[in-house]
Amino acid sequence: MTGKDQRRVYVLDDDVERRSRTVDHLTASGFEAAAFGSVSRFLTVLEELPQGCVLIQVSDRLAETLQVVPAVASRRPDLAAVIVSAATPIVETVDAIKSGRPVFQRDGAADRPIVDAISDALSATTRPPQTGGGDRRRGDVLQLLSPRELEVLRLLLLGHPNKSVAQILGISPRTVEVHRSRMMQRLGVRSFAEMIRLAVEVGLGKGIT
């Protein structure tokens, strides 16, 4: 990817106001953003798009939105992709994560983490794919994290926001945030999206329902 390719983002979102806010935020953050309000329109021009990252906002029409993920993977593997979901469980898009597509839970947070997720996805497309070592990496993750942190991580993989994780485990939302921060430090990742991707890559998402 060239420097310009690493700043180009295609925003796919059928909500007009949210799409406009996202484009404005990305532009202010130094990205070159183009907007698409229709899955069919985006897929029509997919092969013609220059390299960059597609930001996919999961809508109420989940099945239609997620058609984009396998399409990008098969037709444009050179494109990075980030899935943004307000409430949909991450487990429903676990195949997307396994293909290297990070999933970011908006979770009522500020827009800055979305920028970080996009940057991570764009950087990942410039790195050669890793092969082998999955069992070793899984063991490393299990050793680095405490039993409580693993509980938190598995609930996050299911798509639960911080408040929901806190309620399930009987802890405070602030404690969940502390666990998230410590896990990222111990695993050596820079963003929540990268941590989720690592967890799925080493098999922590298998069998969760």
Side-chain angles (χ1 to χ4, degrees):
M1 279 192 180
T2 65
K4 188 173 182 179
D5 293 335
Q6 290 185 313
R7 307 303 295 175
R8 187 182 292 114
V9 183
Y10 305 107
V11 179
L12 179 57
D13 190 345
D14 61 1
D15 184 299
V16 177
E17 292 185 3
R18 184 174 57 202
R19 185 172 70 240
S20 179
R21 288 197 305 270
T22 301
V23 169
D24 288 345
H25 176 70
L26 291 175
T27 301
S29 300
F31 290 95
E32 180 182 310
F36 293 85
S38 163
V39 169
S40 59
R41 168 60 181 159
F42 178 79
L43 294 179
T44 298
V45 300
L46 180 57
E47 277 82 3
E48 304 169 13
L49 297 175
Q51 271 191 286
C53 177
V54 54
L55 182 68
I56 305 166
Q57 171 68 54
V58 176
S59 71
D60 293 336
R61 298 193 297 275
L62 176 63
E64 181 185 9
T65 307
L66 292 183
Q67 289 175 3
V68 177
V69 179
V72 170
S74 62
R75 293 161 54 184
R76 287 299 304 274
D78 59 315
L79 282 181
V82 171
I83 303 169
V84 183
S85 172
T88 304
I90 288 180
V91 69
E92 298 209 21
T93 54
V94 75
D95 288 341
I97 311 173
K98 287 180 178 178
S99 67
R101 311 301 183 184
V103 178
F104 171 73
Q105 295 294 111
R106 189 179 292 274
D107 195 18
D111 287 332
R112 180 63 206 176
I114 296 180
V115 172
D116 293 338
I118 291 171
S119 297
D120 287 345
L122 287 167
S123 296
T125 61
T126 67
R127 296 194 295 265
Q130 297 179 346
T131 57
D135 291 340
R136 181 186 61 78
R137 294 182 70 203
R138 178 183 172 86
D140 290 344
V141 170
L142 293 176
Q143 289 181 357
L144 287 170
L145 302 183
S146 70
R148 173 62 89 184
E149 288 169 341
L150 287 171
E151 287 180 327
V152 171
L153 183 54
R154 288 191 172 100
L155 288 172
L156 293 172
L157 277 170
L158 283 170
H160 291 286
N162 286 0
K163 289 183 180 179
S164 177
V165 173
Q167 290 174 350
I168 292 170
L169 296 180
I171 57 180
S172 70
R174 174 57 183 163
T175 300
V176 176
E177 292 177 6
V178 171
H179 281 310
R180 282 177 54 157
S181 177
R182 287 178 178 173
M183 285 190 290
M184 289 171 57
Q185 292 177 357
R186 291 176 180 176
L187 296 176
V189 298
R190 296 171 297 171
S191 70
F192 175 64
E194 191 175 352
M195 180 173 68
I196 290 296
R197 185 165 65 248
L198 172 61
V200 173
E201 286 175 354
V202 301
L204 291 184
K206 292 180 180 179
I208 57 177
T209 58

